[in-house]
Amino acid sequence: MNALTIIAPIFGIVLIGWGAALTGLISDKVSDGLSEYVFAVAVPALIVATLTRPGMSGEIAWSYWVSYFGGAALSWLTGTLIAKRRAGVERRGAILHGFAASQSNTVFVGVPMILQAYGEEGAFPLFMLLAVHLPLMMGSATFLIESDSDKPILARLRGLALVLLKNPIFVALIVGMVLKGTGITPSGIPKALIDSFAGTASTCALVALGAGLKRYKVLFDLKGALVIALLKNILHPLAVWLLAFHVFSMPPAYAGVATLFAAMPVGINAYLMAARYKTEMGMIAASVLVSTLMAPLSALFWLTLLGKA
């Protein structure tokens, strides 16, 4: 398998979506609707279809979690410390800098690329990591930002639980794992419907990502955005690769999935968090764009290093 054959179709579709939005072939309304469809329907269907597929099983050792989230913690801490040294960045903004430097764009880029690189062998560790990644990263960011508020801890945790339960990706992961645990496999018309929606997830997600890049302005703070992008695209996967391959022992596919998961560009959730707390929106938006534009080269490097070239 050639690494270029993996990334060219993926980022080619992203560029086509971006070009279509820039030229007006895709309006902002269409872009927003497509993003909502991917997030609410297509990717949840892909998750349920994958987790309930016969033969989808495996074991996840603690070293797998430590490798990935240890790398994420290092990148988050580094991003936060760098942001604190910048003039005009307040406490919440610094936390969001670190969050952006460690929050991977898994739904729109990670799932298509990792499944194409590792296939069935990587599907189980991929979706198990996705299941933990979303609540842990979002929960940590929310808790840290809210830690200086007057709300009691129970109220904050209750609010976080409500946010997660309203998230279609999180709900799909729960449904998929419950079906898997009970041995229920969709068949007949339900399976056909799920597979039909799941089959649209990859292309629609990439087009939606490309079209959405139109609204991110890179000139807001190119230097700061570049720092976040370098931390996300290089430091995060480098730390995970060192831990997964050289400190701990695990199947090569698991170590490779964790590394590629970390190598994905800055996730859109970072921008959504910035918008929610009304701080550092321009910086985080610029980092999403810069990181995504850097992603083809960084992904090619990591795929080559992992032996997928």
Side-chain angles (χ1 to χ4, degrees):
M1 184 180 294
N2 188 293
L4 192 59
T5 64
I6 296 176
I7 69 167
I10 289 174
F11 289 102
I13 295 174
V14 172
L15 288 175
I16 290 171
W18 192 17
L22 288 174
T23 57
L25 292 176
I26 295 179
S27 67
D28 288 343
K29 288 183 179 180
V30 173
S31 173
D32 291 341
L34 189 58
S35 296
E36 291 178 9
Y37 165 74
V38 168
F39 189 72
V41 179
V43 169
L46 176 62
I47 291 171
V48 173
T50 303
L51 290 178
T52 57
R53 188 180 302 156
M56 178 61 61
S57 62
E59 295 183 3
I60 303 291
W62 62 269
S63 57
Y64 180 68
W65 306 119
V66 173
S67 295
Y68 182 82
F69 289 108
L74 175 63
S75 190
W76 190 327
L77 177 62
T78 304
T80 299
L81 292 177
I82 291 175
K84 284 184 175 180
R85 299 176 64 89
R86 293 175 59 88
V89 179
E90 44 91 31
R91 178 182 172 279
R92 288 185 173 189
I95 292 172
L96 285 172
H97 278 233
F99 179 62
S102 56
Q103 168 71 25
S104 294
N105 190 337
T106 53
V107 172
F108 290 93
V109 181
V111 170
M113 179 178 294
I114 294 172
L115 287 179
Q116 192 167 348
Y118 282 96
E120 293 292 325
E121 192 178 12
F124 183 76
L126 166 62
F127 284 108
M128 290 301 98
L129 183 52
L130 185 63
V132 177
H133 177 266
L134 177 67
L136 184 58
M137 296 296 287
M138 292 289 287
S140 297
T142 301
F143 189 81
L144 288 172
I145 291 174
E146 294 282 356
S147 62
D148 63 343
S149 70
D150 296 329
K151 294 180 181 179
I153 283 187
L154 285 179
R156 293 180 217 158
L157 293 176
R158 191 181 305 113
L160 175 59
L162 290 175
V163 169
L164 290 175
L165 289 175
K166 292 179 181 179
N167 188 304
I169 304 294
F170 183 74
V171 173
L173 288 163
I174 297 299
V175 170
M177 286 188 286
V178 168
L179 292 176
K180 177 180 173 55
T182 56
I184 299 174
T185 301
S187 59
I189 294 177
K191 183 179 186 303
L193 289 172
I194 292 172
D195 290 345
S196 295
F197 286 121
T200 67
S202 178
T203 301
C204 289
L206 297 172
V207 172
L209 172 62
L213 291 177
K214 172 191 172 185
R215 65 191 63 184
Y216 299 144
K217 306 300 182 183
V218 69
L219 294 180
F220 178 83
D221 191 331
L222 181 58
K223 182 179 177 181
L226 185 59
V227 169
I228 294 175
L230 289 173
L231 291 175
K232 183 68 203 70
N233 292 45
I234 297 177
L235 177 62
H236 188 188
L238 176 61
V240 174
W241 177 76
L242 288 171
L243 289 170
F245 282 96
H246 301 284
V247 176
F248 301 110
S249 177
M250 66 187 73
Y254 283 53
V257 166
T259 302
L260 279 183
F261 202 100
M264 294 302 99
V266 176
I268 295 174
N269 278 334
Y271 176 74
L272 297 178
M273 290 286 286
R276 176 183 176 185
Y277 290 103
K278 295 180 173 55
T279 181
E280 297 299 305
M281 288 185 287
M283 172 72 76
I284 302 301
S287 71
V288 171
L289 178 58
V290 173
S291 179
T292 302
L293 293 177
M294 287 174 55
L297 288 178
S298 60
L300 182 62
F301 169 79
W302 288 111
L303 285 166
T304 302
L305 186 66
L306 294 171
K308 292 297 177 181

